[in-house]
Amino acid sequence: LIGGIVEALIPFLDKPYAVFGHSFGTLGGFETIREIRRRGLRQPFLFVPAGRQAPHLKEKKPPISSLPKAQFIEELHKDYGDHIGHVLDSPELREVFIPQIHADYALSETYKHRAEAPFDFPIAAFAGESEKDLEANELDAWSVHTSRHFQSRRFPGDHFFIRESQGLVVEAIKQAIFTVRREQAVRSHLLA
């Protein structure tokens, strides 16, 4: 998965960029950045993981990807019913999306973190205020993955706060980008 993502990104890495990932996307973003670094390619100037604990922490929830399809769907309904109920309640949509959701869960639940040096750019970790499975210390644990500035912030909403507080999240990302780019410009000016 990561090798394919990096190959697709290579033509676009000639310009400054930031990486945002939500839920399982945080692991994808995190490991993509690590592979970019291993290949000696241009790294992002900011990483924004959202809605997931830091990757070095042990997952608290029991795995569900090995459950039979009906039980898997039942567990999804328990966790995300209000948000994806329309998918789970429609046989046609279940046929299309359940295999994709299942694959995401299987990848996430079999993920094994390997220690590497922290990133040399800031991380801004986001979560929902009422995200029941993500405690403050688990969000703040992303700080060990950067040697630069770290911040964490919570927004109104649950795991899908990126929808519920979309405007606030977009503004926070813009502010984080602006702050990092301003600091880079000042640092470049001082070194010149």
Side-chain angles (χ1 to χ4, degrees):
L1 175 68
I2 300 305
I5 292 171
V6 172
E7 288 300 319
L9 289 175
I10 287 174
F12 306 101
L13 299 180
D14 61 331
K15 296 189 174 36
Y17 66 98
V19 173
F20 173 88
H22 177 257
S23 196
F24 174 64
T26 63
L27 288 181
F30 179 74
E31 288 298 334
T32 297
I33 296 167
R34 288 174 128 195
E35 181 61 21
I36 285 170
R37 179 173 64 181
R38 285 183 211 111
R39 294 186 188 195
L41 301 169
R42 182 184 202 145
Q43 295 176 57
F45 60 83
L46 173 69
F47 178 42
V48 183
R52 187 177 178 102
Q53 67 185 26
H56 64 281
L57 299 178
K58 184 172 171 44
E59 184 63 49
K60 296 181 300 192
K61 293 175 76 174
I64 65 170
S65 63
S66 60
L67 294 174
K69 186 176 182 179
Q71 280 184 278
F72 178 75
I73 291 170
E74 186 178 310
E75 290 298 318
L76 288 178
H77 222 304
K78 283 184 202 172
D79 285 345
Y80 307 114
D82 291 345
H83 295 285
I84 62 172
H86 62 286
V87 171
L88 300 176
D89 295 337
S90 164
E92 295 83 13
L93 292 176
R94 271 199 318 265
E95 193 68 32
V96 172
F97 290 107
I98 291 301
Q100 295 172 19
I101 295 170
H102 184 266
D104 283 354
Y105 267 82
L107 281 172
S108 179
E109 292 173 354
T110 58
Y111 173 77
K112 301 282 188 248
H113 178 263
R114 292 180 311 268
E116 289 186 17
F119 297 136
D120 191 29
F121 49 81
I123 294 177
F126 296 166
E129 290 172 349
S130 59
E131 193 158 357
K132 61 182 181 222
D133 295 324
L134 185 55
E135 297 176 23
N137 64 318
E138 295 170 326
L139 185 65
D140 291 344
W142 279 100
S143 65
V144 304
H145 296 287
T146 181
S147 61
R148 296 290 179 102
H149 178 75
F150 172 80
Q151 68 171 350
S152 66
R153 183 167 171 193
R154 296 236 178 207
F155 298 85
D158 57 19
H159 183 67
F160 292 97
F161 70 94
I162 60 172
R163 286 189 203 140
E164 298 161 325
S165 297
Q166 183 177 352
L168 294 172
V169 173
V170 169
E171 283 304 313
I173 292 170
K174 286 170 38 179
Q175 184 59 46
I177 290 171
F178 175 76
T179 300
V180 171
R181 302 298 285 160
R182 185 180 62 222
E183 289 171 0
Q184 288 175 333
V186 167
R187 199 169 34 250
S188 294
H189 180 71
L190 292 175
L191 294 174

